[in-house]
């Protein structure tokens, strides 16, 4: 895995040469983030593609110094989470669209043995408040450090930490009840 | 049975997954960093076409995808991504280009080319189908009469041959000359437009640069549409522009003959 600061430096030097590296470095975790938040593979794919294309266009308009000093991951995930939220908002205005309510089968990349567990955890996440769900997905699925979760969501670090503790406990309770 | 927090964290990590394999290719195509490709039937055989949201970025009359990948990389500096048809509007525009020999409304991606290269290609696109102009003509027309060699190398690196018709530019002695994809290809393309390359070369070999009409007292490049209309009885051959001027002829306002031999 390329480190984010090194990648930001490479992007600042030569955007077009380094951008494919950004895509291959982050596409899996961005897609997984979008998938667990939208719960629909086709939405997750669209949103991830759009986030990366927007990122490229935005970087094209930034001066090299600005690119070099970017918190690359928090910046990328901010774009992604905003697109996910916008999509959810659009969907909720169209009540006949079931994509957000219904649970689609887990993505094909999951090993068959994990599918049941994945569905259970996804359902449990669905029972949390949106902000709790976002915090947990960014922390554990996207694997962002706590300070970057804080930057991405615009929530103070202390609040992120308490969200993580409380939401983990709630998730444990929900999952525990289900398996009892 | 209760799970501890670490197990719950583990369950969340279990939600990680991989992006679909086509995602990166689509992102890089959409950003223009990688071009999609397709093939179409052209005047001299199949054409490979590279494209991205900015337009058609590379065209080559070559026999295989491997050869095309090399041409594409050397012309654009980018790589080829997935096979993908042109958008409907572009596909229609391209069919019209191939049928009419004029670029029309086709969107062409010439990013990465210098202003000089663009000027050369834009001027070349003004040469009507079936007509041939010398490199020196292009150089003078773009206001850079001394840059004949540079015009030649710009045309040799044309990323969209056939579409922007570098096959309509020949040597300054009037002959058909070379082509990045082989002399035969150039001659085939000219023949498909109704120009006989052997006749063109024969005239050049005899040292004839211009054709005039003794009824209008106008002289032209031999393939100019006005020169083609001159009947044998009124056809006058010239070896140079000064010779034509000395005989009392003026240059054609359509094909604008070059003075340089």
């Amino acid at each position: 895995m390329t480190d984010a600061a090194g990648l930001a430096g490479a992007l600042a030097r030569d955007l077009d040469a380094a951008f494919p590296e950004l895509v291959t470095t982050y596409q899996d975790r961005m897609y997984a983030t979008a998938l667990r938040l939208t719960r629909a593979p086709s939405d997750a794919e669209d949103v991830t593609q759009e986030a990366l294309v927007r990122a490229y266009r935005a970087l094209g308009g930034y001066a090299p110094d600005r690119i070099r000093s970017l918190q690359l991951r928090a910046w990328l995930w901010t774009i992604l989470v905003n697109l996910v939220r916008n999509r959810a908002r659009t969907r909720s205005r169209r009540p006949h669209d079931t994509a957000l309510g219904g649970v689609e089968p887990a993505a094909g990349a999951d090993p068959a043995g994990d599918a049941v567990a994945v569905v259970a955890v996804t359902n449990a996440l669905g029972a949390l408040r949106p902000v709790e769900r976002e915090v947990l997905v960014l922390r554990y699925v996207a694997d962002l450090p706590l300070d970057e979760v804080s930057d991405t969501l615009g929530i103070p670090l202390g609040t992120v930490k308490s969200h993580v503790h409380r939401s983990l406990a709630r998730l444990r309770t929900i999952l525990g009840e289900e398996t009892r | 049975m209760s799970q501890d927090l670490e197990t719950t964290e583990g369950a969340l990590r279990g939600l990680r997954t991989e992006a679909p394999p086509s995602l990166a290719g689509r992102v890089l195509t959409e950003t223009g960093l990688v071009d999609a490709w397709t093939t179409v039937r052209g005047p001299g055989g199949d054409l490979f076409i590279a494209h991205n949201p900015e337009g058609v970025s590379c065209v080559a009359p070559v026999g295989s995808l491997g050869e095309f990948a090399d041409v594409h990389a050397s012309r654009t500096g980018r790589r080829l991504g997935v096979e993908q048809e042109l958008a409907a509007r572009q596909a229609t525009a391209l069919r019209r280009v191939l049928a009419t020999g004029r670029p029309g409304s086709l969107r062409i991606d010439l990013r990465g080319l210098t202003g000089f290269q663009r000027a050369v290609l834009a001027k070349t696109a003004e040469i009507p189908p079936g007509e041939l102009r010398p490199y020196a003509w292009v150089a003078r027309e773009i206001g850079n009469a001394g840059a004949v060699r540079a015009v030649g190398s710009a045309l040799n690196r044309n990323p969209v041959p056939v579409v922007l018709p570098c096959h309509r530019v020949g040597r300054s002695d009037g002959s058909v000359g070379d082509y990045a994809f082989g002399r035969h290809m150039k001659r085939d393309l000219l023949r498909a437009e109704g120009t006989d390359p052997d006749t063109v070369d024969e005239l050049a070999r005899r040292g004839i640069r211009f054709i005039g009409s003794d009824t209008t007292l106008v002289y032209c490049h031999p393939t100019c549409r006005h020169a083609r209309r001159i009947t044998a009885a009124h056809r006058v051959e010239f070896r140079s522009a000064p010779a034509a001027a000395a005989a009392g002829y003026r240059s054609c306002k359509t094909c604008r003959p070059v003075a340089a031999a």
Side-chain angles (χ1 to χ4, degrees):
Chain A
M1 197 185 84
T2 314
D3 79 291
L7 187 51
L11 290 163
R13 277 191 302 280
D14 188 341
L15 175 60
D16 287 0
F19 190 75
E21 174 83 21
L22 179 148
V23 174
T24 50
T25 303
Y26 295 123
Q27 63 169 350
D28 288 346
R29 278 177 290 158
M30 288 176 76
Y31 173 76
T33 304
L35 179 64
R36 301 317 174 193
L37 292 177
T38 64
R39 302 174 74 174
S42 61
D43 281 357
E45 219 175 313
D46 285 356
V47 161
T48 309
Q49 179 175 341
E50 195 179 339
L52 285 165
V53 170
R54 283 190 186 203
Y56 174 77
R57 299 207 171 122
L59 290 170
Y62 290 178
D65 282 347
R66 181 164 177 200
I67 298 177
R68 206 170 285 118
S69 61
L70 272 182
Q71 291 292 336
L72 199 54
R73 282 181 300 201
W75 182 77
L76 275 175
W77 261 266
T78 302
I79 298 173
L80 183 72
V81 169
N82 281 333
L83 288 171
V84 167
R85 287 174 180 169
N86 289 346
R87 184 160 291 228
R89 212 169 292 139
T90 313
R91 292 259 189 238
S92 67
R93 283 200 292 266
R94 287 183 292 163
H96 296 296
D97 206 320
T98 56
L100 209 68
V103 178
E104 293 196 16
D110 289 311
D114 286 343
V116 174
V118 165
V119 171
V121 181
T122 309
N123 281 340
L125 276 175
L128 300 179
R129 288 195 297 135
V131 63
E132 296 171 331
R133 186 159 59 235
E134 286 175 358
V135 165
L136 289 187
V137 169
L138 292 187
R139 177 68 193 93
Y140 296 105
V141 179
D143 198 22
L144 297 186
L146 289 169
D147 60 327
E148 295 187 19
V149 175
S150 156
D151 286 346
T152 301
L153 298 177
I155 300 173
L157 184 58
T159 315
V160 168
K161 285 178 180 167
S162 65
H163 271 312
V164 168
H165 280 289
R166 254 181 296 144
S167 307
L168 270 182
R170 279 202 58 197
L171 202 64
R172 181 192 55 188
T173 309
I174 296 167
L175 286 171
E177 279 166 4
E178 272 186 3
T179 53
R180 193 168 293 146
Chain B
M1 185 184 95
S2 88
Q3 296 169 289
D4 63 17
L5 288 180
E6 271 179 35
T7 316
T8 310
E9 288 179 316
L12 283 166
R13 290 195 189 96
L15 296 182
R16 292 178 191 173
T17 185
E18 287 175 8
S22 61
L23 182 69
R26 277 183 287 115
V27 169
L28 297 179
T29 303
E30 185 71 21
T31 53
L33 293 175
V34 159
D35 291 347
W37 62 272
T38 187
T39 53
V40 298
R41 191 107 197 97
D46 279 347
L47 291 174
F48 278 90
I49 308 283
H51 59 97
N52 62 52
E54 296 291 311
V56 167
S57 60
C58 188
V59 172
V62 292
S64 73
L65 182 59
E67 284 174 80
F68 183 53
D70 290 344
V71 173
H72 173 260
S74 73
R75 298 290 194 277
T76 67
R78 290 189 296 273
R79 289 183 307 154
L80 284 180
V82 291
E83 181 174 8
Q84 189 181 310
E85 283 180 23
L86 287 165
R89 182 177 296 199
Q90 283 284 86
T92 306
L94 180 60
R95 271 195 298 278
R96 200 167 295 142
V97 173
L98 298 176
T100 64
R102 296 173 190 275
S105 62
L106 184 73
R107 288 171 53 229
I108 303 172
D109 174 15
L110 295 179
R111 282 175 301 172
L113 268 62
T114 64
F116 179 80
Q117 287 173 309
R118 284 164 198 253
V120 167
L121 293 175
K123 181 49 68 179
T124 302
E126 293 176 15
I127 305 171
E131 301 190 18
L132 199 69
R133 302 278 185 274
Y135 295 117
W137 179 87
V138 176
R140 190 213 51 198
E141 287 277 313
I142 62 169
N144 212 335
V148 179
R149 276 172 160 276
V151 166
S153 71
L155 290 171
N156 195 46
R157 290 191 52 80
N158 176 9
V160 286
V162 185
V163 166
L164 293 181
C166 55
H167 61 280
R168 293 179 200 147
V169 185
R171 291 170 42 129
S172 294
D173 70 359
S175 63
V176 170
D178 289 328
Y179 193 50
F181 299 95
R183 288 168 164 255
H184 288 293
M185 180 70 70
K186 188 173 190 175
R187 301 176 89 81
D188 286 350
L189 288 168
L190 289 170
R191 240 178 246 117
E193 296 177 354
T195 299
D196 178 14
D198 299 329
T199 308
V200 169
D201 279 356
E202 172 59 17
L203 217 54
R205 198 188 54 74
R206 291 199 289 117
I208 307 304
R209 302 283 185 280
F210 305 111
I211 302 293
S213 159
D214 67 8
T215 57
T216 60
L217 297 182
V218 173
Y219 71 97
C220 301
H221 286 111
T223 54
C224 173
R225 60 181 177 278
H226 298 303
R228 291 167 179 233
R229 285 203 320 237
I230 302 169
T231 55
H234 297 286
R235 192 180 150 96
V236 185
E237 296 178 338
F238 294 107
R239 303 179 76 89
S240 70
Y249 284 65
R250 71 155 176 87
S251 60
C252 171
K253 286 175 179 162
T254 302
C255 72
R256 300 183 292 275
V258 265

